[in-house]
Amino acid sequence: RKEVEQDPGPFNVPEGATVAFNCTYSNSASQSFFWYRQDCRKEPKLLMSVYSSGNEDGRFTAQLNRASQYISLLIRDSKLSDSATYLCVVNADTGRRALTFGSGTRLQVQP
Amino acid sequence: NAGVMQNPRHLVRRRGQEARLRCSPMKGHSHVYWYRQLPEEGLKFMVYLQKENIIDESGMPKERFSAEFPKEGPSILRIQQVVRGDSAAYFCASSYRIQETQYFGPGTRLLVL
């Protein structure tokens, strides 16, 4: 089983749509959670951290369910510029400092 | 304040040659991480270094791969006797402190012919 699992997609949605991505992680000791965005052939960029209480940043809302080991990202009012791969990322408190990445969910927003 | 810098951005090597990838962290950052991304896959951790020390190399292949982060100069990821399977994008990230946000460089795309 992968440490971080995501639906690879692609999710093809029209502009203005609301789209949700889910992610599950296997290590219950995980402490920090993030969503990164990666454009084609570019580096990952931090989109937002994910907190237990849930958090929102403009059109983006992230949720964490520790009991189910589940993370979600909701994008409202999709823009063409949101087209990218969204990476679910976890940092386990095992002494390792490394981030563990999911394989990503590809989003294509269409006009 | 420049971000994380990596060079070269693209590197072509023939099987058996050596590849050297360089990473300069953001100013003030002393923690460096190397990740590898194979085509159509997620990033996989390779090694974590602080100045002059390898802290965690649990993701590094046992042979041919080595990394350093000297007191002066960039961090270097070195791959000896490259094989076609080494073709990938290699990303470096840096952070100011442990467990703080990691910022990624633009990556080096290695192609082994």
Side-chain angles (χ1 to χ4, degrees), chain A residues 32 36 38 41-44 46 87 91-93 96-99 101-103, chain B residues 10 33 35 37 42-43 45 48 56 58 91 98-99 101-102 104-106 109:
Chain A
S32 306
Y36 276 72
Q38 186 174 27
R41 301 187 67 75
K42 297 289 184 70
E43 73 273 25
L46 179 66
L87 306 172
N91 193 339
D93 184 21
R96 281 184 61 185
R97 308 292 183 251
L99 300 176
F101 283 78
S103 298
Chain B
H10 300 274
Y33 314 79
Y35 295 84
Q37 186 173 32
L43 279 75
F45 166 75
Y48 161 50
D56 180 355
S58 57
F91 290 99
I98 292 172
Q99 299 287 3
T101 300
Q102 294 184 22
F104 283 80
R109 278 168 178 75

Side-chain angles (χ1 to χ4, degrees), chain B residues 22-69:
Chain B
R22 295 176 201 80
C23 169
S24 296
M26 285 180 73
K27 189 176 180 181
H29 287 192
S30 59
H31 302 263
V32 167
Y33 314 79
W34 285 93
Y35 295 84
R36 177 166 65 174
Q37 186 173 32
L38 295 170
E40 305 302 323
E41 292 190 16
L43 279 75
K44 296 285 191 289
F45 166 75
M46 298 182 75
V47 60
Y48 161 50
L49 311 101
Q50 292 181 35
K51 280 287 185 182
E52 301 185 272
N53 291 303
I54 296 174
I55 307 300
D56 180 355
E57 55 182 347
S58 57
M60 286 274 270
K62 294 287 185 284
E63 297 176 348
R64 304 187 297 106
F65 285 72
S66 62
E68 62 177 13
F69 188 14

Side-chain angles (χ1 to χ4, degrees), chain B residues 73-101:
Chain B
S75 175
I76 307 283
L77 179 68
R78 183 181 176 210
I79 311 172
Q80 295 178 289
Q81 299 176 325
V82 296
V83 300
R84 287 212 175 113
D86 296 333
S87 296
Y90 292 82
F91 290 99
C92 166
S94 73
S95 67
Y96 179 61
R97 289 196 192 96
I98 292 172
Q99 299 287 3
E100 289 202 353
T101 300

Side-chain angles (χ1 to χ4, degrees), chain A residues 2-6 23-27 30 32-34 36 71 87-94 96-103, chain B residues 35 42-45 102 104:
Chain A
K2 290 182 180 178
E3 290 186 69
V4 179
E5 294 215 54
Q6 295 182 250
C23 162
T24 57
Y25 60 95
S26 61
N27 187 345
S30 299
S32 306
F33 309 89
F34 311 90
Y36 276 72
I71 307 162
L87 306 172
C88 178
V89 184
V90 170
N91 193 339
D93 184 21
T94 59
R96 281 184 61 185
R97 308 292 183 251
L99 300 176
T100 301
F101 283 78
S103 298
Chain B
Y35 295 84
L43 279 75
K44 296 285 191 289
F45 166 75
Q102 294 184 22
F104 283 80

